[in-house]
C-alpha cells in the first residue's frame, strides 16, 4: 500500500506518534508547553541510545516540565522512587539501568537551537530568536525535535536513589511521625512549617 | 482549634470509588503500595476540607508515594509547577489556593494507626503491629482510610512556588545552557556531575 515516493516517516516519541504524545502531555501537564514537547524528545533520544532496559531509572536536571515527560513516557515516577530530581536548571536528563548502572544522557543542543529562531526565542530567552506564542513553539519542536538535541551513553558511579528505611517516631511537639535522625522534633516543629493553623 | 476528623466521609477518593482509584494508582505508580493508598485518602481529606478551589496547588512533605497520589488525583504535577516537594519524611500534604492562600493540611493520625495492628505494622515500622504483605495492608487502608488520618484548614504565608524566569547562558566548559546565577560554570562542571561520559 505504500506509494513510490513517500515522505519521511512522521516523528515518533517512544514508539508513539508525536501528536499522540502531545495529547497525553496536555492531559497530564495541564497545558501544552515547549518544555514538555522537548522533554518527550529528550526521553526518546536517551532511550534509543540506551536500548531495552529492564530496571529503568531516570534523573532530570530541572524540576520544570521535564519530570512530566519522564512520568508520561516511562515507568519512573517521583513517588515510586525511580525518578530522581536535580534542581540544576539544566534541560537534560539521564535514563539508566539501576542494576548495570549503564545509562544515556540527553540534552538540548544550544547551537542547533540558536539556528532555529522560532525555538531560540523560547529556549534562549529571546536572545537572537523570535518570541512566538507557546503553541507555535510547540509546533516547531514537534517538527524538528531530534535535530535540536544530543544524546550519548554514560556510566553511573552509583544508583542515585537507594531505598533505605529510616527510623521514625512521634514528634514530641505535634505528635506526627517523622524521621528521628532529623533531631528532637520534626522539621515543621523546628521552625520550618510553611503553614499556619 | 481542634482537628477535624474525617471519619464520617464516605469511602470514596475524590469522587471516585476507592477500587477505581487503586486501579489508577497501580497503573501510574507501577504497583500498589500502602503509601499510595493512604495518599489517596490524604488528598481526598484535604480537598474536602478545602472545598472547590480554582487555583489548586499542593505541597507534599515526603517524596515517597505521596507525590504520585497528588499527580493522579489533582491537576498539580511536579513538572507544571503546581506541586511542591519537601523531603521531610512526613506522611502529610497540603492543598491550597495559590490566589487566596487558603489551604487544608492532611496527615496520618499515629494514634489511630497504632490501634489497627494490620496498618501499624507498616506505618510504625512494625512497632506494636502485625507485619503483613503489602497488598493486605492496602486492603486494610482501603477499608479504613478516613479513620486513619486528620485534616484541618491552614493558611499559607506565601505561595511556595512563585515562577520566576532566571537568566541562562552557555556553560564555558560543556556548552550547555545553565542558570548564570549558579556561578562561572554549570553545577555538573563545578564537580557535581552524577554521570561519567
Amino acid at each position: 500500500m505504500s506509494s513510490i515516493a513517500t515522505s519521511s516517516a512522521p516523528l515518533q516519541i517512544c514508539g508513539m506518534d508525536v501528536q499522540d504524545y502531545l495529547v497525553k502531555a496536555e492531559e497530564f501537564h495541564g497545558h501544552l508547553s515547549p518544555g514538555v514537547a522537548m522533554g518527550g524528545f529528550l526521553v526518546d533520544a536517551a532511550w534509543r541510545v540506551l536500548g531495552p532496559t529492564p530496571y529503568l531509572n531516570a534523573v532530570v536536571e530541572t524540576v520544570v516540565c521535564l519530570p512530566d515527560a519522564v512520568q508520561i513516557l516511562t515507568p519512573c515516577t517521583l513517588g515510586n522512587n525511580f525518578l530522581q530530581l536535580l534542581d540544576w536548571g539544566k534541560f537534560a536528563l539521564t535514563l539508566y539501568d539501576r542494576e548495570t548502572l549503564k545509562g544515556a544522557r540527553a540534552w538540548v543542543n544550544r547551537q542547533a537551537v540558536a539556528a532555529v529562531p522560532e525555538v531560540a526565542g523560547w529556549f534562549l530567552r529571546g536572545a537572537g530568536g523570535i518570541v512566538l506564542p507557546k503553541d507555535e513553539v510547540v509546533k516547531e519542536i514537534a517538527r524538528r525535535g531530534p535535530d535540536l538535541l544530543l544524546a550519548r551513553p554514560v556510566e553511573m558511579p552509583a544508583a542515585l536513589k537507594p531505598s533505605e528505611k529510616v527510623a521514625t517516631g512521634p514528634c514530641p511537639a505535634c505528635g506526627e511521625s517523622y524521621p528521628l535522625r532529623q533531631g528532637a522534633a520534626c522539621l515543621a516543629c523546628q521552625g520550618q512549617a510553611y503553614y499556619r493553623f
Side-chain angles (χ1 to χ4, degrees), chain A residues 41-185:
Chain A
F41 285 110
L42 288 172
V43 171
D44 179 75
W47 217 338
R48 280 175 203 260
V49 169
L50 185 57
T53 306
Y55 302 102
L56 192 74
N57 272 36
V59 187
V60 293
E61 298 179 22
T62 176
V63 296
V64 178
C65 296
L66 272 194
D68 285 0
V70 170
Q71 294 184 112
I72 292 163
L73 290 167
T74 79
C76 306
T77 71
L78 186 66
N80 74 14
N81 209 35
F82 297 142
L83 168 59
Q84 167 79 27
L85 302 178
L86 297 175
D87 190 6
W88 284 10
K90 296 188 77 176
F91 224 76
L93 57 82
T94 294
L95 301 182
Y96 69 97
D97 186 302
R98 63 184 167 273
E99 298 289 323
T100 66
L101 300 181
K102 298 208 175 301
R105 182 169 177 269
W107 65 96
V108 176
N109 181 346
R110 255 186 94 91
Q111 288 179 302
V113 165
V116 181
E118 296 87 347
V119 182
W122 161 68
F123 189 76
L124 303 180
R125 305 282 155 86
I130 308 169
V131 177
L132 294 174
K134 286 195 172 179
D135 58 340
E136 296 293 319
V137 182
V138 169
K139 274 186 204 162
E140 284 298 321
I141 293 169
R143 285 202 314 127
R144 301 165 184 271
D147 295 335
L148 302 174
L149 53 92
L150 295 166
R152 61 185 281 189
V154 294
E155 292 201 4
M156 304 285 289
L160 285 199
K161 288 192 105 174
S163 11
E164 37 161 320
K165 295 263 183 213
V166 302
T168 58
C171 171
C174 68
E176 298 177 26
S177 275
Y178 81 108
L180 294 170
R181 64 178 177 191
Q182 289 174 347

Side-chain angles (χ1 to χ4, degrees), chain A residues 174-196:
Chain A
C174 68
E176 298 177 26
S177 275
Y178 81 108
L180 294 170
R181 64 178 177 191
Q182 289 174 347
C186 77
L187 291 180
C189 294
Q190 285 182 39
Q192 293 189 38
Y194 58 86
Y195 51 83
R196 287 191 292 249

